[in-house]
Amino acid sequence: MDKMLLGRYINGDSLIHRMDPRAKLFLSFYFIVIVFLCNNWQTYVLMAALVLLFIKLSDISLGFFIKGVRPLIWLILFTVLLQIFFSSGGNVYWQWGPFTVTDRGLLNAVFVFCRFVLIIFMSTLLTLTTTPIEISDGLESLLKPLTKIKVPVYEIALMLSIALRFVPTLMDETTKIMNAQRARGVNFGEGSLIKQIKSVIPLLIPLFVSSFNRAEDLATAMEARGYHGGEGRTKYRKQEWKQNDTIGVILFIVLTAALIFLRS
Amino acid sequence: MSGIIDIKDLCFRYSQENEELDLSHIDLHVNEGEWLAVIGHNGSGKSTLAKAIDGLIAPEAGEIYIDGEKLTDQSLWNIRKKIGMVFQNPDNQFVGADVEGDVAFGLENQGIEREEMHARVKEALEVVGMQDFAQHEPVRLSGGQKQRVAIAGVLALRPKIVIFDESTSMLDPEGRMQIISLIRQLNKKEGFTVLSITHDIDEASLADRVIVVDDGKIIDDSLPQDLFQKGNQLIEIGLDVPYPQRLKGELAQRGIDLPQEYMDEGSLVNWLCRSILKN
Amino acid sequence: MSIHIEKLNYVYQSGTPFSHRALTDVSLDIADNTYTAIIGHTGSGKSTLLQHLNGLLKPTSGSLTVENNKITAETKNKELNDLRRHVGFVFQFPEAQLFEETVLKDIAFAPKNFGKSDEEAEQIAVKMAKLVGLPDSVLQKSPFELSGGQMRRVAIAGVLAMEPQILVLDEPTAGLDPKGRLEMMEMFDRLHKEQHLTIILVTHQMNDVANYADHVIVMEKGRVIADSQPAEIFSDPEWLKAHHLGLPQTTAFAAKLQQQGVPFKTLPLTEAQLAAQLADMMNEQGGGLRG
């Protein structure tokens, strides 16, 4: 449970930390889109160089990012294997029934792998350098135009920020309940499938009960502090768009142009 | 004389199916600046009373006046501005993602301007001694620190009454003592009217007046020192027996003659010293 | 059942950027049929140590031996199960672990997991419910209908149902009212004396240490900084103060009397001890006066 890196903020005061969360959010999404423009060595090298530059600027060691890949490694390997064995075209190196290994397939597999790693590195960079509250504030402000079509953006953002706020609390709670049930002889993740499914019940029911209790307490506390919907609320935090954010956006526009130029 | 809290014949039940009232014909008068401790064993109805005062539950009958204003659906939000509440579980009342964000939550609800908010958050955090933790997330705080943040969140709203609903019961001894001395400061120095719902003898002994709730009724209303004389009966009504009282009991069993009246720790130490070190 | 811990070290998330050391060179012995209190601040390593006793954590290095079960970094997870049978663990706010439809089923949960038949498990459950003072009338109720204090008793009965020889209690009275606290502590004392359970209690309440324990372990920053008897630990208020630990009320009160010149040979731990000493002093005085 502790190994989950996504969503874990690392305190710091680097150039990347100081960027406006709206800029970071927008550019991260944008990055994921333009990764799909890459289709040859040149474009991937360019993107990798950019990601490494950002990581350098964030003052966070590369180790954290590599750890971020780990939880998704099976998904990545699966996709890579699909590419290796089921691509067609190019020189055939090996063939057996429906499986074919071709040079194009191998190349694609490498590219897919790179694409995964780049996207994970970039989203890890976002969550490592941006607090959850900044992310939800940023989302709220990016989605604000949607209030025009009656989307309750404010409530969604509050929900998101409370959810994020309670993630560590619930993780703790989960660990505690798992330990308590282990002490009563439950073996999580062992035995037959039915046994494993059964072992989830003593974990899930207490978690539901405690979450409902928490939710009730929290609702009472919020009401006592005068919360009655998003209307007329002011915001404590201000987001400031700075020069660096503009530079970031320009950098990405140039990058897009370069990618279009370099791709084959 | 009208007090800051006036309750007349208040009745409440959680569910219509309940035969018994959960609050039964409560009459209560609290003066401005007073510290009232509310005690009672778990399930006696003392927290329900606090929730009723803040309009968090709707009574079946009776009236509540806060600062001269009757509590109704219309006056509710205005009245809540006058009352701050600190609850039992430090984790379940932390709304913000970090300390200052949490203190600001109530201010945001009231639509206070940003400049003003920053000033008030800073000030409130200084009162509770948490200014150095402004950017900390709740996971990095102890229970006592979270409760101090909750108190700051209340202070920033500048209420007249602060209700502590068993706010010290989940804390370790250090956190507990910090919160008790903070409550004392708020009442004695800053002049807040304090209602503290508690099992804690140290907390109750600092109050000006103690009411005992049992089965949804107020069964006693007295000065702390008068209540503490009840000795072992205190356990039944949800309070510990004060240490001097316990020791007096043990001494009496060994045939020592002690003064009848309530003695706090200092006076018992003096009395014992006088009797032992006579020469 | 005795516990022997030797040079135990534990590092959380070892090998990751978040790794941190929670226990350093912990060595200690807990004898059979004793009542041990473990005290120390939040973050002193108490909880980490407790989790080793129950096989929830394995040492990073060093070893832990419960009777004949030796646990080291190499021990297989399967073998930890054996340890768990012998060591019952009551977590903080244990009522959070309740999940079954009825009180009886919840108490019977652990024995069933450890291979008892449904009938046997229920028999044990009925017995344990009685042992913790639950009335028969609640056995068929849902545990979620009960009061907080009763829910906690159900949870404790659920741990006792494994029929452990060692009972580990992590702040078992937190959040209870004074009456509930007293009843709970008396219950554990009874289990210790009548059922001969070895008890390991983690607490902030020095009064409980003074009243019930016969062995105290003090932890700080992942190390054991004291290991002796309550009378000895509490005889040094200065040392306790230096480590931000409190005194039992009686000892604190006696220390005040001592400052005023009342001569104590040893500082008392409980009200009864203090009252007896004071009564003796006063009778001597009285006797002197009369004579």
Side-chain angles (χ1 to χ4, degrees):
Chain A
M1 202 84 28
D2 298 323
K3 290 187 185 82
M4 275 195 26
L5 255 183
L6 246 90
R8 208 157 169 177
Y9 172 72
I10 292 178
N11 217 0
D13 192 34
S14 72
L15 208 61
I16 307 286
H17 281 88
R18 288 197 306 263
M19 275 177 78
D20 190 306
R22 286 170 297 185
K24 283 193 268 187
L25 262 171
F26 175 73
L27 293 180
S28 303
F29 283 124
Y30 187 68
F31 181 87
I32 293 171
V33 174
I34 58 174
V35 161
F36 288 92
L37 286 177
C38 299
N39 65 354
N40 57 15
W41 287 112
Q42 296 89 321
T43 44
Y44 274 107
V45 168
L46 179 65
M47 289 298 256
L50 181 90
V51 169
L52 288 176
L53 171 75
F54 281 159
I55 289 176
K56 184 88 196 73
L57 287 176
S58 74
D59 280 344
I60 295 173
S61 83
L62 197 61
F64 284 94
F65 295 86
I66 293 169
K67 287 247 147 59
V69 178
R70 228 184 245 170
L72 294 170
I73 197 76
W74 292 111
L75 178 68
I76 299 174
L77 283 181
F78 180 68
T79 323
V80 165
L81 288 178
L82 279 185
Q83 288 293 337
I84 292 179
F85 289 113
F86 294 101
S87 295
S88 55
N91 296 325
V92 177
Y93 292 139
W94 183 79
Q95 194 166 22
W96 184 74
F99 303 102
T100 36
V101 177
T102 66
D103 57 350
R104 173 104 43 97
L106 284 178
L107 194 65
N108 275 339
V110 175
F111 285 166
V112 163
F113 179 77
C114 291
R115 197 179 293 160
F116 262 111
V117 170
L118 286 174
I119 291 175
I120 293 170
F121 275 22
M122 201 61 175
S123 24
T124 309
L125 182 70
L126 172 72
T127 54
L128 288 180
T129 62
T130 323
T131 60
I133 192 71
E134 281 178 329
I135 293 180
S136 91
D137 278 359
L139 266 180
E140 184 187 350
S141 137
L142 286 176
L143 295 180
K144 208 157 208 175
L146 293 181
T147 44
K148 295 242 164 56
I149 53 165
K150 299 265 185 298
V151 177
V153 171
Y154 173 77
E155 276 75 12
I156 292 173
L158 184 72
M159 242 166 64
L160 184 66
S161 87
I162 289 175
L164 286 170
R165 135 85 184 90
F166 275 95
V167 165
T169 314
L170 287 181
M171 296 262 237
D172 267 6
E173 185 99 7
T174 310
T175 314
K176 263 184 212 157
I177 295 171
M178 277 177 87
N179 276 341
Q181 307 299 29
R182 264 197 201 116
R184 292 210 280 168
V186 178
N187 289 314
F188 293 99
E190 274 174 40
S192 66
L193 190 66
I194 295 173
K195 225 173 166 180
Q196 286 198 39
I197 292 171
K198 263 186 153 171
S199 75
V200 175
I201 297 169
L203 173 63
L204 280 189
I205 291 177
L207 260 182
F208 274 127
V209 171
S210 87
S211 302
F212 278 122
N213 288 340
R214 269 184 210 288
E216 206 180 323
D217 278 5
L218 191 72
T220 309
M222 285 171 66
E223 202 182 332
R225 287 163 76 180
Y227 178 75
H228 50 291
E231 225 162 286
R233 275 189 109 231
T234 44
K235 295 230 69 155
Y236 178 74
R237 270 165 239 281
K238 194 160 90 184
Q239 292 172 339
E240 265 180 302
W241 189 273
K242 288 172 294 253
Q243 204 185 359
N244 278 341
D245 301 308
T246 316
I247 294 175
V249 172
I250 293 171
L251 186 68
F252 269 69
I253 294 172
V254 174
L255 180 76
T256 316
L259 284 178
I260 293 171
F261 178 75
L262 285 174
R263 74 196 297 259
S264 41
Chain B
M1 200 187 82
S2 92
I4 190 136
I5 302 175
D6 266 301
I7 300 178
K8 286 176 189 143
D9 205 27
L10 179 75
C11 295
F12 170 81
R13 65 184 103 211
Y14 274 104
S15 150
Q16 287 308 320
E17 288 152 35
N18 290 8
E19 279 174 37
E20 303 272 316
L21 283 165
D22 292 292
L23 287 178
S24 164
H25 305 283
I26 300 272
D27 283 293
L28 181 65
H29 173 93
V30 183
N31 289 322
E32 187 148 14
E34 192 174 18
W35 179 346
L36 179 75
V38 183
I39 64 172
H41 58 77
N42 283 346
S44 60
K46 53 196 193 320
S47 290
T48 312
L49 177 60
K51 289 204 177 95
I53 292 174
D54 202 32
L56 292 167
I57 51 172
E60 190 171 289
E63 290 166 356
I64 297 172
Y65 293 86
I66 303 297
D67 203 16
E69 190 177 352
K70 189 176 172 186
L71 178 65
T72 61
D73 281 347
Q74 287 73 42
S75 68
L76 184 65
W77 293 104
N78 193 36
I79 279 181
R80 280 193 192 147
K81 284 185 190 171
K82 296 180 183 175
I83 304 174
M85 283 189 80
V86 182
F87 297 92
Q88 178 178 24
N89 191 325
D91 254 318
N92 297 359
Q93 53 184 318
F94 205 111
V95 190
D98 60 10
V99 167
E100 54 179 354
D102 188 61
V103 177
F105 179 73
L107 297 169
E108 291 179 325
N109 291 335
Q110 291 194 8
I112 310 270
E113 289 304 312
R114 187 176 285 136
E115 315 270 285
E116 167 86 10
M117 258 200 276
H118 279 266
R120 285 213 210 170
V121 168
K122 191 164 171 276
E123 189 189 300
L125 283 177
E126 274 165 15
V127 173
V128 302
M130 288 291 289
Q131 63 274 29
D132 296 338
F133 297 83
Q135 318 272 331
H136 280 216
E137 294 153 56
V139 255
R140 290 160 68 201
L141 303 177
S142 69
Q145 287 174 324
K146 280 182 209 153
Q147 289 302 63
R148 273 149 73 191
V149 173
I151 295 174
V154 159
L155 295 184
L157 293 168
R158 304 193 174 149
K160 294 193 157 182
I161 305 162
V162 187
I163 301 177
F164 294 90
D165 188 356
E166 294 191 45
S167 311
T168 58
S169 71
M170 287 176 77
L171 305 181
D172 60 15
E174 212 175 344
R176 190 180 69 102
M177 287 320 292
Q178 279 172 357
I179 299 301
I180 293 177
S181 77
L182 194 54
I183 301 178
R184 183 185 193 152
Q185 179 194 342
L186 295 185
N187 176 251
K188 298 282 180 299
K189 258 176 68 188
E190 322 267 340
F192 288 99
T193 304
V194 167
L195 222 77
S196 61
I197 293 158
T198 187
H199 296 301
D200 192 299
I201 189 79
D202 295 317
E203 201 177 319
S205 67
L206 289 166
D208 300 311
R209 187 155 67 101
V210 185
I211 60 171
V212 180
V213 180
D214 191 27
D215 254 351
K217 298 184 198 66
I218 295 181
I219 56 163
D220 199 348
D221 184 340
S222 51
L223 299 174
Q225 55 267 42
D226 293 337
L227 187 70
F228 294 164
Q229 268 191 313
K230 299 200 170 164
N232 284 333
Q233 281 174 37
L234 288 168
I235 292 272
E236 290 304 315
I237 54 177
L239 208 59
D240 249 330
V241 182
Y243 186 75
Q245 203 68 22
R246 287 212 306 260
L247 185 61
K248 270 170 81 173
E250 290 281 346
L251 286 167
Q253 273 183 30
R254 287 170 176 77
I256 306 288
D257 244 352
L258 288 117
Q260 278 301 302
E261 81 269 9
Y262 172 73
M263 297 166 102
D264 63 11
E265 206 169 274
S267 53
L268 186 58
V269 166
N270 286 337
W271 187 88
L272 286 168
C273 286
R274 272 201 312 277
S275 359
I276 294 170
L277 310 165
K278 268 183 213 150
N279 325 337
Chain C
M1 256 194 179
S2 62
I3 299 173
H4 173 71
I5 296 175
E6 200 166 295
K7 291 235 160 47
L8 191 150
N9 286 280
Y10 187 76
V11 181
Y12 273 105
Q13 295 183 265
S14 128
T16 76
F18 299 103
S19 100
H20 69 101
R21 177 171 283 261
L23 292 175
T24 309
D25 280 337
V26 171
S27 295
L28 54 89
D29 277 287
I30 292 172
D32 190 25
N33 209 3
T34 51
Y35 196 130
T36 303
I38 303 184
I39 56 180
H41 287 274
T42 319
S44 60
K46 289 176 301 189
S47 300
T48 313
L49 181 62
L50 288 193
Q51 290 182 40
H52 279 89
L53 296 179
N54 192 252
L56 292 169
L57 294 176
K58 276 188 294 188
T60 307
S61 71
S63 72
L64 163 93
T65 314
V66 178
E67 204 66 25
N68 295 318
N69 274 320
K70 186 166 181 177
I71 310 290
T72 63
E74 282 80 39
T75 305
K76 299 236 164 51
N77 284 342
K78 266 229 154 65
E79 293 167 42
L80 296 176
N81 250 338
D82 231 24
L83 183 63
R84 271 174 215 158
R85 257 170 225 256
H86 300 301
V87 184
F89 198 139
V90 177
F91 285 83
Q92 229 182 92
F93 299 102
E95 55 275 21
Q97 75 194 31
L98 303 179
F99 74 99
E100 279 282 17
E101 293 155 64
T102 68
V103 168
L104 195 68
K105 277 189 183 169
D106 207 292
I107 303 176
F109 180 64
K112 270 191 227 164
N113 284 332
F114 286 118
K116 292 267 195 284
S117 71
D118 287 9
E119 270 171 33
E120 276 176 300
E122 295 217 342
Q123 276 170 8
I124 296 174
V126 171
K127 196 173 115 199
M128 295 306 158
K130 202 163 266 147
L131 202 58
V132 299
L134 284 168
D136 285 344
S137 60
V138 304
L139 292 182
Q140 294 305 329
K141 280 193 186 166
S142 155
F144 300 105
E145 286 172 32
L146 308 183
S147 72
Q150 279 188 324
M151 278 171 83
R152 189 163 300 186
R153 279 168 196 270
V154 175
I156 292 167
V159 173
L160 291 173
M162 305 185 331
E163 305 184 296
Q165 285 101 321
I166 298 171
L167 189 62
V168 178
L169 306 164
D170 189 358
E171 292 192 51
T173 62
L176 295 180
D177 63 17
K179 191 179 174 199
R181 258 191 338 246
L182 190 70
E183 286 172 355
M184 196 68 68
M185 289 313 295
E186 290 296 326
M187 179 182 95
F188 293 131
D189 198 43
R190 234 176 33 238
L191 290 171
H192 171 59
K193 291 195 175 119
E194 290 167 14
Q195 312 289 320
H196 306 290
L197 280 172
T198 303
I199 293 205
I200 299 169
L201 168 76
V202 166
T203 185
H204 290 296
Q205 309 290 333
M206 298 302 162
N207 285 348
D208 290 343
V209 179
N211 285 333
Y212 301 107
D214 50 28
H215 178 197
V216 191
I217 291 165
V218 187
M219 301 209 44
E220 191 181 87
K221 292 184 187 143
R223 291 172 193 272
V224 172
I225 57 166
D227 183 346
S228 78
Q229 275 98 48
E232 199 180 321
I233 297 268
F234 293 130
S235 68
D236 193 351
E238 290 302 315
W239 184 85
L240 287 164
K241 212 171 167 187
H243 293 279
H244 302 280
L245 294 166
L247 281 172
Q249 278 176 311
T250 294
T251 317
F253 190 87
K256 276 185 192 148
L257 287 170
Q258 199 176 31
Q259 273 170 17
Q260 305 282 323
V262 177
F264 286 103
K265 281 185 216 86
T266 53
L267 284 175
L269 294 182
T270 63
E271 289 131 53
Q273 289 170 10
L274 174 60
Q277 290 198 32
L278 290 173
D280 281 348
M281 290 184 210
M282 276 187 243
N283 289 336
E284 267 171 44
Q285 268 293 339
L289 280 177
R290 263 192 300 268

